[in-house]
């Protein structure tokens, strides 16, 4: 007689892969700091010696939000003007701009998307200094780039990227600090703080109940928190299918505020520092409109909102807070998706490597 297989409840549980990979983030951050930082420092020193005058950042999806974070770092911390590329100018239109003295940084989890590879190859042929930041040192993108940084996140199986995002943020931070010869020591507390955030999943699950029947959401921030708002919106859309619109707080006041009412959920990512200060007038306007406002940020801001999640960022520099800000929002996307009866591990119509051209 053949025994009937006993289902493994862990294997069958929706969202288990995304949950496991979110839980790996403290270890990934520690790995980068312990074993990856010296390689990042060496690459940063070699690039700094070439004295680039301008930076172009190339990416798609989640990696595009990491690239936007790097733009804030490079312009604020290093005084280097930056732009986000439009790959179709080279891949579709065949443009070949003069990129001498330009650093082109391409961020990609897999390093396999054809348009990223093609645009990076074209940039190098046009005279650019090229750097790939990926989770795959054997990728085609790494091969066509002059320099490469491995974010050391390990294999990521869930379609929604989580650990590769925070790993990319930390790697880019260390790189930008390394351009000035700094070691990025301010990042050392991040693994422990990330672990503490992950231990608060029950708080996030309670918060997720607010959004089970949401028809749309708005996520806003300013400064270093803006990439977090964009990434949180992407995670919610790709896992729960809720239309989540992300806006800079400044842009929200220029028209989109009109769609906010007392039944439209708004999540504000309030970074402790100048970005949070710049967002304050937006928070005041949202409260004045009676918005269903949830704040992810400092305790004082959370207490003044309808609800929220307090971040332990008192001793964390503003430029590093995005590594922590996104974690409760990843958890939120996971919990909202489960509450809506869907599986965050397998969003419909998505593939891990998106082959745009």
């Amino acid at each position: 007689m053949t025994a009937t297989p006993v289902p493994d409840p862990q294997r069958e549980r929706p969202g288990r892969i995304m949950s496991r990979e979110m839980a790996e983030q403290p270890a990934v951050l520690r790995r980068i700091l312990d074993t990856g930082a010296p390689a990042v420092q060496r690459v940063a020193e070699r690039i700094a010696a070439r004295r680039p005058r301008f930076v172009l950042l190339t990416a798609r999806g989640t990696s595009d939000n990491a690239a936007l974070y790097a733009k804030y770092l490079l312009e604020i911390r290093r005084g280097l003007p930056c732009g986000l590329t439009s790959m179709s100018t080279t891949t579709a239109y065949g443009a070949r701009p003069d990129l001498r003295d330009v650093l082109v940084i391409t961020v990609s989890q897999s390093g396999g998307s054809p348009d990223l590879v093609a645009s990076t190859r074209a940039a190098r042929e046009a005279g650019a200094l090229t750097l790939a930041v990926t989770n795959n040192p054997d990728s085609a993108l790494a091969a066509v780039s002059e320099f490469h940084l491995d974010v050391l996140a390990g294999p990521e199986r869930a379609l929604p990227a989580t650990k590769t995002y925070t790993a990319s943020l930390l790697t880019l931070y260390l790189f930008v600090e390394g351009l000035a010869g700094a070691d990025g020591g301010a990042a050392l507390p991040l693994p422990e703080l990330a672990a503490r955030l992950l231990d608060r999943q029950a708080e996030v699950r309670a918060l997720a109940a607010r959004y089970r029947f949401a028809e749309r959401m708005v996520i806003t921030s300013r400064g270093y928190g803006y990439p977090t708002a964009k990434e949180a919106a992407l995670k919610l859309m790709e896992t729960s299918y809720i239309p989540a619109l992300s806006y800079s707080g400044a842009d929200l006041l220029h028209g989109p505020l009109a769609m906010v009412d007392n039944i439209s959920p708004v999540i504000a990512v309030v970074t402790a520092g100048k970005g949070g200060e710049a967002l304050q007038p937006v928070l005041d306007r949202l409260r004045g409109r009676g918005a269903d406002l949830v704040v992810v940020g400092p305790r004082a801001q959370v207490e003044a909102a309808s609800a929220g999640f307090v971040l332990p960022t008192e001793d964390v520099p503003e430029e590093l807070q995005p590594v922590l800000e996104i974690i409760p929002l990843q958890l939120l996307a996971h919990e909202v998706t489960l509450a809506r009866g869907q599986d965050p591990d397998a969003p419909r119509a998505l593939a891990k490597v998106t082959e745009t051209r």
Side-chain angles (χ1 to χ4, degrees):
M1 176 183 290
T2 303
T4 302
V6 177
D8 180 349
Q10 291 300 312
R11 183 179 298 277
E12 301 298 326
R13 180 169 58 86
R16 65 183 179 84
I17 302 174
M18 183 180 177
S19 179
R20 184 176 65 237
E21 290 176 351
M22 288 189 292
E24 292 176 19
Q25 288 177 106
V28 171
L29 298 175
R30 174 55 61 199
R31 186 184 309 138
I32 294 168
L33 292 168
D34 288 348
T35 66
V40 176
Q41 184 79 20
R42 288 192 295 271
V43 169
E45 289 173 355
R46 292 179 65 186
I47 289 177
R50 304 271 284 274
R51 301 177 66 85
R53 287 292 305 128
F54 192 85
V55 181
L56 285 174
L57 294 146
T58 305
R60 295 283 193 203
T62 284
S63 294
D64 200 31
N65 299 325
L68 180 58
Y69 169 71
K71 182 178 189 294
Y72 277 90
L73 286 174
L74 287 159
E75 292 188 340
I76 296 170
R77 306 284 292 171
R78 300 284 78 87
L80 281 168
C82 299
L84 301 175
T85 61
S86 299
M87 280 174 275
S88 62
T89 61
T90 55
T91 61
Y93 292 92
R96 292 295 182 266
D98 183 352
L99 297 179
R100 287 172 293 179
D101 299 324
V102 175
L103 169 62
V104 172
I105 302 175
T106 306
V107 187
S108 172
Q109 299 152 44
S110 68
S113 185
D115 60 346
L116 293 170
V117 175
S119 64
T120 301
R121 181 187 294 112
R124 190 169 181 182
E125 292 171 352
L129 176 63
T130 54
L131 168 66
V133 180
T134 81
N135 194 39
N136 184 2
D138 299 320
S139 63
L141 178 60
V144 301
S145 300
E146 185 173 354
F147 296 99
H148 175 259
L149 293 176
D150 186 350
V151 303
L152 300 175
E156 190 172 56
R157 294 179 53 215
L159 287 174
T162 54
K163 63 178 181 174
T164 52
Y165 180 70
T166 50
S168 297
L169 296 190
L170 179 54
T171 301
L172 288 163
Y173 168 79
L174 293 174
F175 169 73
V176 173
E177 291 300 286
L179 290 175
D183 62 5
L188 291 176
L190 291 181
E192 174 59 29
L193 292 172
R196 285 165 51 188
L197 289 172
L198 288 162
D199 284 342
R200 296 166 59 190
Q201 189 162 0
E203 287 182 53
V204 177
R205 189 173 296 121
L207 199 59
R210 302 170 71 94
Y211 306 121
R212 182 176 180 183
F213 301 107
E215 295 183 0
R216 70 167 183 251
M217 295 174 64
V218 173
I219 307 177
T220 188
S221 189
R222 290 203 69 179
Y224 284 110
Y226 181 42
T228 307
K230 290 175 68 66
E231 175 62 10
L234 178 61
K235 284 292 154 287
L236 283 160
M237 286 190 288
E238 69 184 0
T239 57
S240 69
Y241 318 138
I242 298 174
L245 307 174
S246 59
Y247 293 101
S248 158
D251 287 333
L252 186 62
L253 295 182
H254 284 268
L257 185 67
M259 71 177 176
V260 175
D261 53 33
N262 60 1
I263 59 172
S264 300
V266 179
I267 298 176
V269 181
V270 184
T271 304
K274 293 182 179 179
E277 294 169 6
L279 190 63
Q280 188 58 54
V282 183
L283 299 177
D284 293 341
R285 291 283 298 277
L286 288 168
R287 294 187 187 103
R289 291 187 63 83
D292 177 8
L293 177 63
V294 166
V295 167
V296 175
R299 181 173 299 279
Q301 293 288 356
V302 171
E303 291 175 348
S306 306
F309 187 97
V310 177
L311 291 172
T313 53
E314 295 81 3
D315 299 317
V316 179
E318 182 177 3
E319 61 270 16
L320 275 172
Q321 292 176 35
V323 180
L324 301 175
E325 289 169 346
I326 192 58
I327 292 175
L329 294 165
Q330 292 171 344
L331 293 170
L332 182 66
H334 181 270
E335 294 297 331
V336 168
T337 304
L338 292 177
R340 291 164 73 95
Q342 294 147 197
D343 185 355
D345 286 341
R348 62 194 182 207
L350 293 182
K352 192 62 180 171
V353 179
T354 304
E355 296 195 354
T356 48
R357 297 181 183 274

